[in-house]
Amino acid sequence: MFLPSPWRQFFPGILAFAEQQQVWLDSAATAQKPQSMLDALAQHYQQGVANVHRAQHQPGERATRAFENARSSIAKWLQADAQDTLIFTKGTTEGINLLSQALAHHLQAGDEILISAYEHHANLLPWQQLALARGLILKVLPMDTDGHLDIDQAIAQLSTRSRIVAISALSNVVGHKQSLSALLSAARKIGAWTVIDGAQAAVHERPNLQQLDCDFFVCSAHKVYGPDGVGLLFARERAVPALRHWQFGGEMVRHCDYQHAEFLPAPLGFEPGTPSTANIIAFAATLEWLQSLDSQAIATHEAALHAALLQGLQARGMQIIGSPNCALVSFNAPQVHHADLALLLGEQGIAVRAGHHCAMPLLHSLGLAGALRVSLAMYNNGDDLQRFFAALDQALEILQ
Amino acid sequence: MNQLSTTAQQAIDEFQACEQWEQRARLLLQRGAQLQELPQTLRTEDNLVHGCETRVWLLLDREAVPPRFQAASEARLLRGLLALLLLRIEGLDAEQITAIDVTDWFAQLGLSRQLSPSRSNGLNAVLIRMRELLDNL
Ligand SMILES: Cc1ncc(COP(=O)(O)O)c(C=O)c1O
């Protein structure tokens, strides 16, 4: 299997793993970091730090400029309009929690929130808990037999009480890129807010928020080769006024007395406290580096790896969840517990994920206690897959 | 530290003799296969150990003297680890069981790596549950 990755050399973490005989096939959980990100982090700290948005001194001004430049740069990566807003969060999870609270005051008992059957807990629990607290109806949109969202059914489920539609563009279990435009425009017609969980999708295709007509889009830096603890919430111009301030503290107020306060508008009004300045700057640097690469070549490479992965698993009679077409494959070996297989792969230096993948209701509805997931990134190569398959064969020989 | 029983010492000798992970895995599977089956009727929600991603059932036979644990898991390697844990506490009283250093026991067996700090295999959760059951004796 000759599928070299020309980008592997830029990821010190992958090279370090290779020296330890470790194969990283768990990038859907978190991705390794390119040298450019490490350099940006080091450079930021080495030149001296300061808070953003508060100090009058020169280091503070410099930090603020770098921080706001990062915001513009990331907005450009998203292909957002100048009027749209980019709010920094800790990650996808926080972005969705923010939305569930910042939109809550619009919702009344009997209103509906729609999600898909394959959502990560991060795009289920905030809505579920909101629904429980306010007497809302949480509608779960069904999948077809391929494990894809059934768009016609989803549109048929929309009603005049539908207020929020929150869907992942790429499931972290099924690995299927959803085309959502029909659903998004139907939701928009009836006046529901649309939220896209882009945690997985953003890694494998640069988001285009000109085309993806949602109100809100969230993702996490650490999955897109960026630093930990940073995420973004894109809010389209038309949707920003709907958000009510949700967390309170320093740097978000216009005016404050003991009994009352007035808050800044988005984004600053939604970023109370000291932000993760270094990481945000390093995230922008990561994305700039990504954009300097040949995205078509990366997509082609990832598709070839994915096809080889799928083919090898099918040839071995593995039970694959759905019909994955991107980035990852989840599967079980017949008659073998996923935890046993994961342990023996681990023994052989293969890092894959096993369990319910933070999608317990999905696995439960499929009648599975868990599954293994192999996930790919631009730095993986044919050797990684070969080593995985050799280890899989060994493990199965012992277990079957 | 409790004195190791003969069978426990035998287990150590056996596992220490393994030079490759395949041998260790096969041995672990054998141990798991010897673990007494837990009837479906006892695989209840109440007997489930929380904190394991893989389901593990644990119960304490209070009638037995000294009290005796029974354990089960759907994963075969984990069943092997459970068997080894039960082997270690065989014949011990509550106080002695609580005093056991599980990490040390699995280290002696050369199985430290199986005891990952993540919750995924849950042996630590099993031990905590054992202590709870013993406390309520
Ligand atoms: C589809 C999806 N949504 C949300 C999340 C949560 O992301 P984070 O843990 O970075 O907040 C993940 C992470 O696994 C994911 O795969």
PDB file of all heavy atoms in Angstrom, chain A residues 28-30 90-96 118-123 168-173 197-201 218-223 229-230 353 357-358 373, ligand 1:
ATOM      1  N   ALA A  28      -9.838  11.701  14.843  1.00  0.00           N
ATOM      2  CA  ALA A  28     -11.181  12.259  15.042  1.00  0.00           C
ATOM      3  C   ALA A  28     -11.365  12.676  16.495  1.00  0.00           C
ATOM      4  O   ALA A  28     -12.202  13.524  16.808  1.00  0.00           O
ATOM      5  CB  ALA A  28     -12.248  11.249  14.645  1.00  0.00           C
ATOM      6  N   ALA A  29     -10.569  12.087  17.385  1.00  0.00           N
ATOM      7  CA  ALA A  29     -10.617  12.504  18.788  1.00  0.00           C
ATOM      8  C   ALA A  29      -9.807  13.778  18.959  1.00  0.00           C
ATOM      9  O   ALA A  29     -10.300  14.775  19.491  1.00  0.00           O
ATOM     10  CB  ALA A  29     -10.073  11.405  19.689  1.00  0.00           C
ATOM     11  N   THR A  30      -8.560  13.742  18.511  1.00  0.00           N
ATOM     12  CA  THR A  30      -7.768  14.965  18.482  1.00  0.00           C
ATOM     13  C   THR A  30      -6.641  14.775  17.480  1.00  0.00           C
ATOM     14  O   THR A  30      -6.144  13.660  17.301  1.00  0.00           O
ATOM     15  CB  THR A  30      -7.249  15.360  19.881  1.00  0.00           C
ATOM     16  OG1 THR A  30      -6.915  16.748  19.875  1.00  0.00           O
ATOM     17  CG2 THR A  30      -6.032  14.556  20.299  1.00  0.00           C
ATOM     18  N   LYS A  90     -14.280  27.709  24.230  1.00  0.00           N
ATOM     19  CA  LYS A  90     -13.295  26.686  24.597  1.00  0.00           C
ATOM     20  C   LYS A  90     -13.312  25.535  23.613  1.00  0.00           C
ATOM     21  O   LYS A  90     -12.408  24.723  23.572  1.00  0.00           O
ATOM     22  CB  LYS A  90     -13.628  26.120  25.986  1.00  0.00           C
ATOM     23  CG  LYS A  90     -13.254  27.046  27.118  1.00  0.00           C
ATOM     24  CD  LYS A  90     -13.297  26.301  28.439  1.00  0.00           C
ATOM     25  CE  LYS A  90     -14.673  25.739  28.727  1.00  0.00           C
ATOM     26  NZ  LYS A  90     -14.847  25.283  30.099  1.00  0.00           N
ATOM     27  N   GLY A  91     -14.395  25.422  22.848  1.00  0.00           N
ATOM     28  CA  GLY A  91     -14.495  24.304  21.905  1.00  0.00           C
ATOM     29  C   GLY A  91     -15.932  24.139  21.455  1.00  0.00           C
ATOM     30  O   GLY A  91     -16.809  24.932  21.816  1.00  0.00           O
ATOM     31  N   THR A  92     -16.153  23.107  20.671  1.00  0.00           N
ATOM     32  CA  THR A  92     -17.496  22.823  20.163  1.00  0.00           C
ATOM     33  C   THR A  92     -18.494  22.699  21.310  1.00  0.00           C
ATOM     34  O   THR A  92     -19.591  23.250  21.260  1.00  0.00           O
ATOM     35  CB  THR A  92     -17.466  21.500  19.373  1.00  0.00           C
ATOM     36  OG1 THR A  92     -16.472  21.603  18.357  1.00  0.00           O
ATOM     37  CG2 THR A  92     -18.807  21.204  18.742  1.00  0.00           C
ATOM     38  N   THR A  93     -18.101  21.968  22.325  1.00  0.00           N
ATOM     39  CA  THR A  93     -18.991  21.734  23.456  1.00  0.00           C
ATOM     40  C   THR A  93     -19.453  23.050  24.064  1.00  0.00           C
ATOM     41  O   THR A  93     -20.643  23.256  24.315  1.00  0.00           O
ATOM     42  CB  THR A  93     -18.265  20.890  24.531  1.00  0.00           C
ATOM     43  OG1 THR A  93     -17.814  19.685  23.917  1.00  0.00           O
ATOM     44  CG2 THR A  93     -19.169  20.564  25.687  1.00  0.00           C
ATOM     45  N   GLU A  94     -18.505  23.950  24.299  1.00  0.00           N
ATOM     46  CA  GLU A  94     -18.896  25.226  24.894  1.00  0.00           C
ATOM     47  C   GLU A  94     -19.735  26.045  23.926  1.00  0.00           C
ATOM     48  O   GLU A  94     -20.683  26.724  24.325  1.00  0.00           O
ATOM     49  CB  GLU A  94     -17.683  26.038  25.348  1.00  0.00           C
ATOM     50  CG  GLU A  94     -18.125  27.201  26.198  1.00  0.00           C
ATOM     51  CD  GLU A  94     -16.978  28.088  26.665  1.00  0.00           C
ATOM     52  OE1 GLU A  94     -16.261  28.640  25.821  1.00  0.00           O
ATOM     53  OE2 GLU A  94     -16.808  28.215  27.887  1.00  0.00           O
ATOM     54  N   GLY A  95     -19.406  25.977  22.640  1.00  0.00           N
ATOM     55  CA  GLY A  95     -20.175  26.728  21.649  1.00  0.00           C
ATOM     56  C   GLY A  95     -21.646  26.339  21.664  1.00  0.00           C
ATOM     57  O   GLY A  95     -22.540  27.196  21.604  1.00  0.00           O
ATOM     58  N   ILE A  96     -21.904  25.038  21.770  1.00  0.00           N
ATOM     59  CA  ILE A  96     -23.295  24.579  21.743  1.00  0.00           C
ATOM     60  C   ILE A  96     -23.984  24.893  23.073  1.00  0.00           C
ATOM     61  O   ILE A  96     -25.152  25.285  23.101  1.00  0.00           O
ATOM     62  CB  ILE A  96     -23.366  23.082  21.383  1.00  0.00           C
ATOM     63  CG1 ILE A  96     -22.786  22.884  19.970  1.00  0.00           C
ATOM     64  CG2 ILE A  96     -24.817  22.580  21.419  1.00  0.00           C
ATOM     65  CD1 ILE A  96     -22.570  21.443  19.564  1.00  0.00           C
ATOM     66  N   TYR A 118     -27.716  10.812  15.122  1.00  0.00           N
ATOM     67  CA  TYR A 118     -26.296  10.466  15.251  1.00  0.00           C
ATOM     68  C   TYR A 118     -25.472  11.540  15.962  1.00  0.00           C
ATOM     69  O   TYR A 118     -24.249  11.530  15.877  1.00  0.00           O
ATOM     70  CB  TYR A 118     -25.695  10.150  13.873  1.00  0.00           C
ATOM     71  CG  TYR A 118     -25.730  11.301  12.879  1.00  0.00           C
ATOM     72  CD1 TYR A 118     -24.903  12.408  13.044  1.00  0.00           C
ATOM     73  CD2 TYR A 118     -26.584  11.276  11.786  1.00  0.00           C
ATOM     74  CE1 TYR A 118     -24.940  13.459  12.150  1.00  0.00           C
ATOM     75  CE2 TYR A 118     -26.625  12.321  10.881  1.00  0.00           C
ATOM     76  CZ  TYR A 118     -25.803  13.413  11.072  1.00  0.00           C
ATOM     77  OH  TYR A 118     -25.840  14.451  10.200  1.00  0.00           O
ATOM     78  N   GLU A 119     -26.116  12.438  16.666  1.00  0.00           N
ATOM     79  CA  GLU A 119     -25.345  13.526  17.275  1.00  0.00           C
ATOM     80  C   GLU A 119     -24.402  13.036  18.368  1.00  0.00           C
ATOM     81  O   GLU A 119     -24.714  12.121  19.128  1.00  0.00           O
ATOM     82  CB  GLU A 119     -26.285  14.591  17.844  1.00  0.00           C
ATOM     83  CG  GLU A 119     -27.132  15.314  16.818  1.00  0.00           C
ATOM     84  CD  GLU A 119     -26.337  15.868  15.645  1.00  0.00           C
ATOM     85  OE1 GLU A 119     -25.220  16.356  15.863  1.00  0.00           O
ATOM     86  OE2 GLU A 119     -26.841  15.786  14.501  1.00  0.00           O
ATOM     87  N   HIS A 120     -23.253  13.697  18.437  1.00  0.00           N
ATOM     88  CA  HIS A 120     -22.327  13.574  19.571  1.00  0.00           C
ATOM     89  C   HIS A 120     -23.056  14.130  20.813  1.00  0.00           C
ATOM     90  O   HIS A 120     -23.890  15.027  20.678  1.00  0.00           O
ATOM     91  CB  HIS A 120     -21.105  14.433  19.234  1.00  0.00           C
ATOM     92  CG  HIS A 120     -19.966  14.318  20.198  1.00  0.00           C
ATOM     93  ND1 HIS A 120     -19.955  14.963  21.410  1.00  0.00           N
ATOM     94  CD2 HIS A 120     -18.787  13.654  20.118  1.00  0.00           C
ATOM     95  CE1 HIS A 120     -18.806  14.703  22.026  1.00  0.00           C
ATOM     96  NE2 HIS A 120     -18.087  13.910  21.268  1.00  0.00           N
ATOM     97  N   HIS A 121     -22.728  13.622  21.973  1.00  0.00           N
ATOM     98  CA  HIS A 121     -23.383  14.116  23.189  1.00  0.00           C
ATOM     99  C   HIS A 121     -23.303  15.638  23.306  1.00  0.00           C
ATOM    100  O   HIS A 121     -24.179  16.268  23.894  1.00  0.00           O
ATOM    101  CB  HIS A 121     -22.754  13.478  24.429  1.00  0.00           C
ATOM    102  CG  HIS A 121     -23.013  11.999  24.537  1.00  0.00           C
ATOM    103  ND1 HIS A 121     -22.341  11.186  25.404  1.00  0.00           N
ATOM    104  CD2 HIS A 121     -23.876  11.192  23.867  1.00  0.00           C
ATOM    105  CE1 HIS A 121     -22.769   9.933  25.276  1.00  0.00           C
ATOM    106  NE2 HIS A 121     -23.696   9.914  24.341  1.00  0.00           N
ATOM    107  N   ALA A 122     -22.253  16.220  22.734  1.00  0.00           N
ATOM    108  CA  ALA A 122     -22.091  17.679  22.800  1.00  0.00           C
ATOM    109  C   ALA A 122     -23.215  18.408  22.077  1.00  0.00           C
ATOM    110  O   ALA A 122     -23.555  19.542  22.426  1.00  0.00           O
ATOM    111  CB  ALA A 122     -20.747  18.085  22.191  1.00  0.00           C
ATOM    112  N   ASN A 123     -23.797  17.761  21.069  1.00  0.00           N
ATOM    113  CA  ASN A 123     -24.903  18.392  20.337  1.00  0.00           C
ATOM    114  C   ASN A 123     -26.232  17.720  20.660  1.00  0.00           C
ATOM    115  O   ASN A 123     -27.187  17.821  19.909  1.00  0.00           O
ATOM    116  CB  ASN A 123     -24.641  18.360  18.828  1.00  0.00           C
ATOM    117  CG  ASN A 123     -25.565  19.299  18.064  1.00  0.00           C
ATOM    118  OD1 ASN A 123     -25.979  20.339  18.598  1.00  0.00           O
ATOM    119  ND2 ASN A 123     -25.907  18.935  16.844  1.00  0.00           N
ATOM    120  N   SER A 168     -25.055  17.792  13.032  1.00  0.00           N
ATOM    121  CA  SER A 168     -23.636  17.660  12.722  1.00  0.00           C
ATOM    122  C   SER A 168     -23.464  17.418  11.221  1.00  0.00           C
ATOM    123  O   SER A 168     -24.201  16.639  10.623  1.00  0.00           O
ATOM    124  CB  SER A 168     -23.060  16.502  13.529  1.00  0.00           C
ATOM    125  OG  SER A 168     -21.874  16.072  12.936  1.00  0.00           O
ATOM    126  N   ALA A 169     -22.479  18.077  10.645  1.00  0.00           N
ATOM    127  CA  ALA A 169     -22.259  17.955   9.201  1.00  0.00           C
ATOM    128  C   ALA A 169     -21.465  16.700   8.857  1.00  0.00           C
ATOM    129  O   ALA A 169     -21.403  16.295   7.702  1.00  0.00           O
ATOM    130  CB  ALA A 169     -21.527  19.192   8.692  1.00  0.00           C
ATOM    131  N   LEU A 170     -20.830  16.114   9.847  1.00  0.00           N
ATOM    132  CA  LEU A 170     -20.094  14.867   9.643  1.00  0.00           C
ATOM    133  C   LEU A 170     -20.084  14.138  10.982  1.00  0.00           C
ATOM    134  O   LEU A 170     -19.537  14.640  11.957  1.00  0.00           O
ATOM    135  CB  LEU A 170     -18.662  15.154   9.168  1.00  0.00           C
ATOM    136  CG  LEU A 170     -17.703  13.964   9.066  1.00  0.00           C
ATOM    137  CD1 LEU A 170     -18.189  12.943   8.059  1.00  0.00           C
ATOM    138  CD2 LEU A 170     -16.305  14.434   8.659  1.00  0.00           C
ATOM    139  N   SER A 171     -20.718  12.982  10.999  1.00  0.00           N
ATOM    140  CA  SER A 171     -20.839  12.238  12.252  1.00  0.00           C
ATOM    141  C   SER A 171     -19.491  11.659  12.667  1.00  0.00           C
ATOM    142  O   SER A 171     -18.753  11.141  11.840  1.00  0.00           O
ATOM    143  CB  SER A 171     -21.854  11.108  12.079  1.00  0.00           C
ATOM    144  OG  SER A 171     -21.538  10.041  12.940  1.00  0.00           O
ATOM    145  N   ASN A 172     -19.196  11.716  13.954  1.00  0.00           N
ATOM    146  CA  ASN A 172     -17.947  11.157  14.455  1.00  0.00           C
ATOM    147  C   ASN A 172     -18.016   9.638  14.597  1.00  0.00           C
ATOM    148  O   ASN A 172     -17.039   9.007  14.966  1.00  0.00           O
ATOM    149  CB  ASN A 172     -17.558  11.800  15.797  1.00  0.00           C
ATOM    150  CG  ASN A 172     -18.545  11.475  16.888  1.00  0.00           C
ATOM    151  OD1 ASN A 172     -19.750  11.574  16.692  1.00  0.00           O
ATOM    152  ND2 ASN A 172     -18.050  11.061  18.035  1.00  0.00           N
ATOM    153  N   VAL A 173     -19.176   9.065  14.321  1.00  0.00           N
ATOM    154  CA  VAL A 173     -19.305   7.610  14.371  1.00  0.00           C
ATOM    155  C   VAL A 173     -19.498   7.028  12.963  1.00  0.00           C
ATOM    156  O   VAL A 173     -18.856   6.054  12.593  1.00  0.00           O
ATOM    157  CB  VAL A 173     -20.492   7.175  15.265  1.00  0.00           C
ATOM    158  CG1 VAL A 173     -20.618   5.659  15.288  1.00  0.00           C
ATOM    159  CG2 VAL A 173     -20.312   7.713  16.675  1.00  0.00           C
ATOM    160  N   ASP A 197     -22.948  21.608  13.814  1.00  0.00           N
ATOM    161  CA  ASP A 197     -21.799  21.108  14.555  1.00  0.00           C
ATOM    162  C   ASP A 197     -20.764  20.687  13.513  1.00  0.00           C
ATOM    163  O   ASP A 197     -20.912  19.663  12.852  1.00  0.00           O
ATOM    164  CB  ASP A 197     -22.235  19.923  15.422  1.00  0.00           C
ATOM    165  CG  ASP A 197     -21.045  19.229  16.089  1.00  0.00           C
ATOM    166  OD1 ASP A 197     -19.890  19.562  15.753  1.00  0.00           O
ATOM    167  OD2 ASP A 197     -21.281  18.348  16.938  1.00  0.00           O
ATOM    168  N   GLY A 198     -19.734  21.518  13.372  1.00  0.00           N
ATOM    169  CA  GLY A 198     -18.715  21.262  12.359  1.00  0.00           C
ATOM    170  C   GLY A 198     -17.450  20.649  12.932  1.00  0.00           C
ATOM    171  O   GLY A 198     -16.395  20.703  12.296  1.00  0.00           O
ATOM    172  N   ALA A 199     -17.539  20.068  14.137  1.00  0.00           N
ATOM    173  CA  ALA A 199     -16.336  19.571  14.817  1.00  0.00           C
ATOM    174  C   ALA A 199     -15.539  18.610  13.934  1.00  0.00           C
ATOM    175  O   ALA A 199     -14.315  18.697  13.852  1.00  0.00           O
ATOM    176  CB  ALA A 199     -16.707  18.904  16.134  1.00  0.00           C
ATOM    177  N   GLN A 200     -16.222  17.695  13.255  1.00  0.00           N
ATOM    178  CA  GLN A 200     -15.513  16.746  12.401  1.00  0.00           C
ATOM    179  C   GLN A 200     -15.380  17.277  10.979  1.00  0.00           C
ATOM    180  O   GLN A 200     -14.343  17.106  10.336  1.00  0.00           O
ATOM    181  CB  GLN A 200     -16.246  15.393  12.374  1.00  0.00           C
ATOM    182  CG  GLN A 200     -16.304  14.661  13.711  1.00  0.00           C
ATOM    183  CD  GLN A 200     -14.944  14.208  14.204  1.00  0.00           C
ATOM    184  OE1 GLN A 200     -13.985  14.058  13.443  1.00  0.00           O
ATOM    185  NE2 GLN A 200     -14.826  13.997  15.501  1.00  0.00           N
ATOM    186  N   ALA A 201     -16.443  17.893  10.485  1.00  0.00           N
ATOM    187  CA  ALA A 201     -16.457  18.305   9.081  1.00  0.00           C
ATOM    188  C   ALA A 201     -15.352  19.321   8.772  1.00  0.00           C
ATOM    189  O   ALA A 201     -14.726  19.264   7.702  1.00  0.00           O
ATOM    190  CB  ALA A 201     -17.824  18.888   8.729  1.00  0.00           C
ATOM    191  N   VAL A 218     -20.254  25.786  14.700  1.00  0.00           N
ATOM    192  CA  VAL A 218     -19.263  25.633  15.778  1.00  0.00           C
ATOM    193  C   VAL A 218     -18.231  24.574  15.406  1.00  0.00           C
ATOM    194  O   VAL A 218     -18.535  23.613  14.694  1.00  0.00           O
ATOM    195  CB  VAL A 218     -19.926  25.208  17.115  1.00  0.00           C
ATOM    196  CG1 VAL A 218     -20.711  26.349  17.717  1.00  0.00           C
ATOM    197  CG2 VAL A 218     -20.806  23.977  16.937  1.00  0.00           C
ATOM    198  N   CYS A 219     -17.006  24.774  15.868  1.00  0.00           N
ATOM    199  CA  CYS A 219     -15.994  23.717  15.764  1.00  0.00           C
ATOM    200  C   CYS A 219     -14.895  23.920  16.811  1.00  0.00           C
ATOM    201  O   CYS A 219     -14.908  24.908  17.555  1.00  0.00           O
ATOM    202  CB  CYS A 219     -15.438  23.605  14.350  1.00  0.00           C
ATOM    203  SG  CYS A 219     -14.429  24.980  13.819  1.00  0.00           S
ATOM    204  N   SER A 220     -14.001  22.946  16.882  1.00  0.00           N
ATOM    205  CA  SER A 220     -12.928  22.940  17.890  1.00  0.00           C
ATOM    206  C   SER A 220     -11.580  23.011  17.201  1.00  0.00           C
ATOM    207  O   SER A 220     -11.327  22.242  16.262  1.00  0.00           O
ATOM    208  CB  SER A 220     -12.957  21.644  18.706  1.00  0.00           C
ATOM    209  OG  SER A 220     -14.182  21.456  19.349  1.00  0.00           O
ATOM    210  N   ALA A 221     -10.681  23.845  17.712  1.00  0.00           N
ATOM    211  CA  ALA A 221      -9.351  23.979  17.106  1.00  0.00           C
ATOM    212  C   ALA A 221      -8.557  22.671  17.177  1.00  0.00           C
ATOM    213  O   ALA A 221      -7.864  22.302  16.232  1.00  0.00           O
ATOM    214  CB  ALA A 221      -8.580  25.100  17.797  1.00  0.00           C
ATOM    215  N   HIS A 222      -8.663  21.972  18.304  1.00  0.00           N
ATOM    216  CA  HIS A 222      -7.754  20.828  18.504  1.00  0.00           C
ATOM    217  C   HIS A 222      -7.970  19.712  17.486  1.00  0.00           C
ATOM    218  O   HIS A 222      -7.072  18.915  17.248  1.00  0.00           O
ATOM    219  CB  HIS A 222      -7.885  20.277  19.931  1.00  0.00           C
ATOM    220  CG  HIS A 222      -9.155  19.551  20.204  1.00  0.00           C
ATOM    221  ND1 HIS A 222      -9.241  18.183  20.141  1.00  0.00           N
ATOM    222  CD2 HIS A 222     -10.401  19.973  20.543  1.00  0.00           C
ATOM    223  CE1 HIS A 222     -10.479  17.811  20.447  1.00  0.00           C
ATOM    224  NE2 HIS A 222     -11.201  18.888  20.680  1.00  0.00           N
ATOM    225  N   LYS A 223      -9.141  19.670  16.881  1.00  0.00           N
ATOM    226  CA  LYS A 223      -9.369  18.634  15.866  1.00  0.00           C
ATOM    227  C   LYS A 223      -8.855  19.063  14.491  1.00  0.00           C
ATOM    228  O   LYS A 223      -8.613  18.240  13.627  1.00  0.00           O
ATOM    229  CB  LYS A 223     -10.854  18.300  15.778  1.00  0.00           C
ATOM    230  CG  LYS A 223     -11.381  17.598  17.032  1.00  0.00           C
ATOM    231  CD  LYS A 223     -12.782  17.096  16.832  1.00  0.00           C
ATOM    232  CE  LYS A 223     -13.502  16.843  18.137  1.00  0.00           C
ATOM    233  NZ  LYS A 223     -13.200  15.528  18.713  1.00  0.00           N
ATOM    234  N   GLY A 229      -8.308  23.654  23.796  1.00  0.00           N
ATOM    235  CA  GLY A 229      -8.983  24.666  24.603  1.00  0.00           C
ATOM    236  C   GLY A 229      -9.501  25.867  23.852  1.00  0.00           C
ATOM    237  O   GLY A 229      -9.804  26.891  24.466  1.00  0.00           O
ATOM    238  N   VAL A 230      -9.580  25.773  22.532  1.00  0.00           N
ATOM    239  CA  VAL A 230     -10.101  26.886  21.742  1.00  0.00           C
ATOM    240  C   VAL A 230     -11.123  26.358  20.749  1.00  0.00           C
ATOM    241  O   VAL A 230     -10.939  25.303  20.155  1.00  0.00           O
ATOM    242  CB  VAL A 230      -8.975  27.583  20.944  1.00  0.00           C
ATOM    243  CG1 VAL A 230      -9.555  28.594  19.961  1.00  0.00           C
ATOM    244  CG2 VAL A 230      -8.012  28.273  21.883  1.00  0.00           C
ATOM    245  N   ARG A 353      -9.909   4.235  18.547  1.00  0.00           N
ATOM    246  CA  ARG A 353     -10.845   4.469  19.630  1.00  0.00           C
ATOM    247  C   ARG A 353     -11.826   3.315  19.733  1.00  0.00           C
ATOM    248  O   ARG A 353     -12.246   2.770  18.719  1.00  0.00           O
ATOM    249  CB  ARG A 353     -11.602   5.755  19.348  1.00  0.00           C
ATOM    250  CG  ARG A 353     -12.311   6.363  20.510  1.00  0.00           C
ATOM    251  CD  ARG A 353     -11.448   6.500  21.741  1.00  0.00           C
ATOM    252  NE  ARG A 353     -11.939   7.607  22.519  1.00  0.00           N
ATOM    253  CZ  ARG A 353     -11.389   8.808  22.477  1.00  0.00           C
ATOM    254  NH1 ARG A 353     -10.332   9.040  21.764  1.00  0.00           N
ATOM    255  NH2 ARG A 353     -11.906   9.792  23.174  1.00  0.00           N
ATOM    256  N   HIS A 357     -18.163   6.317  21.729  1.00  0.00           N
ATOM    257  CA  HIS A 357     -17.825   7.524  20.975  1.00  0.00           C
ATOM    258  C   HIS A 357     -18.722   8.712  21.320  1.00  0.00           C
ATOM    259  O   HIS A 357     -19.065   9.515  20.454  1.00  0.00           O
ATOM    260  CB  HIS A 357     -17.867   7.257  19.466  1.00  0.00           C
ATOM    261  CG  HIS A 357     -17.096   6.037  19.078  1.00  0.00           C
ATOM    262  ND1 HIS A 357     -15.727   5.975  19.162  1.00  0.00           N
ATOM    263  CD2 HIS A 357     -17.511   4.817  18.658  1.00  0.00           C
ATOM    264  CE1 HIS A 357     -15.330   4.768  18.799  1.00  0.00           C
ATOM    265  NE2 HIS A 357     -16.382   4.048  18.499  1.00  0.00           N
ATOM    266  N   CYS A 358     -19.092   8.819  22.581  1.00  0.00           N
ATOM    267  CA  CYS A 358     -19.957   9.927  22.997  1.00  0.00           C
ATOM    268  C   CYS A 358     -21.220  10.000  22.163  1.00  0.00           C
ATOM    269  O   CYS A 358     -21.711  11.096  21.853  1.00  0.00           O
ATOM    270  CB  CYS A 358     -19.236  11.264  22.961  1.00  0.00           C
ATOM    271  SG  CYS A 358     -17.872  11.353  24.099  1.00  0.00           S
ATOM    272  N   ARG A 373     -13.213   2.572  16.202  1.00  0.00           N
ATOM    273  CA  ARG A 373     -13.208   3.595  15.169  1.00  0.00           C
ATOM    274  C   ARG A 373     -11.777   3.883  14.754  1.00  0.00           C
ATOM    275  O   ARG A 373     -10.931   4.168  15.584  1.00  0.00           O
ATOM    276  CB  ARG A 373     -13.848   4.882  15.693  1.00  0.00           C
ATOM    277  CG  ARG A 373     -13.857   5.991  14.638  1.00  0.00           C
ATOM    278  CD  ARG A 373     -14.345   7.304  15.214  1.00  0.00           C
ATOM    279  NE  ARG A 373     -13.357   7.860  16.131  1.00  0.00           N
ATOM    280  CZ  ARG A 373     -13.592   8.882  16.947  1.00  0.00           C
ATOM    281  NH1 ARG A 373     -14.797   9.428  16.986  1.00  0.00           N
ATOM    282  NH2 ARG A 373     -12.647   9.342  17.740  1.00  0.00           N
TER     283      ARG A 373
HETATM  284  C1  LIG C   1     -19.261  15.652  16.057  1.00  0.00           C
HETATM  285  C2  LIG C   1     -18.657  16.182  17.312  1.00  0.00           C
HETATM  286  N1  LIG C   1     -19.262  17.168  17.978  1.00  0.00           N
HETATM  287  C3  LIG C   1     -18.746  17.687  19.097  1.00  0.00           C
HETATM  288  C4  LIG C   1     -17.575  17.215  19.649  1.00  0.00           C
HETATM  289  C5  LIG C   1     -17.054  17.827  20.910  1.00  0.00           C
HETATM  290  O1  LIG C   1     -15.888  18.529  20.687  1.00  0.00           O
HETATM  291  P1  LIG C   1     -15.034  19.138  21.875  1.00  0.00           P
HETATM  292  O2  LIG C   1     -14.782  18.015  22.829  1.00  0.00           O
HETATM  293  O3  LIG C   1     -13.789  19.620  21.219  1.00  0.00           O
HETATM  294  O4  LIG C   1     -15.818  20.221  22.499  1.00  0.00           O
HETATM  295  C6  LIG C   1     -16.911  16.185  18.998  1.00  0.00           C
HETATM  296  C7  LIG C   1     -15.668  15.644  19.574  1.00  0.00           C
HETATM  297  O5  LIG C   1     -15.406  14.480  19.559  1.00  0.00           O
HETATM  298  C8  LIG C   1     -17.452  15.657  17.801  1.00  0.00           C
HETATM  299  O6  LIG C   1     -16.848  14.665  17.157  1.00  0.00           O
END
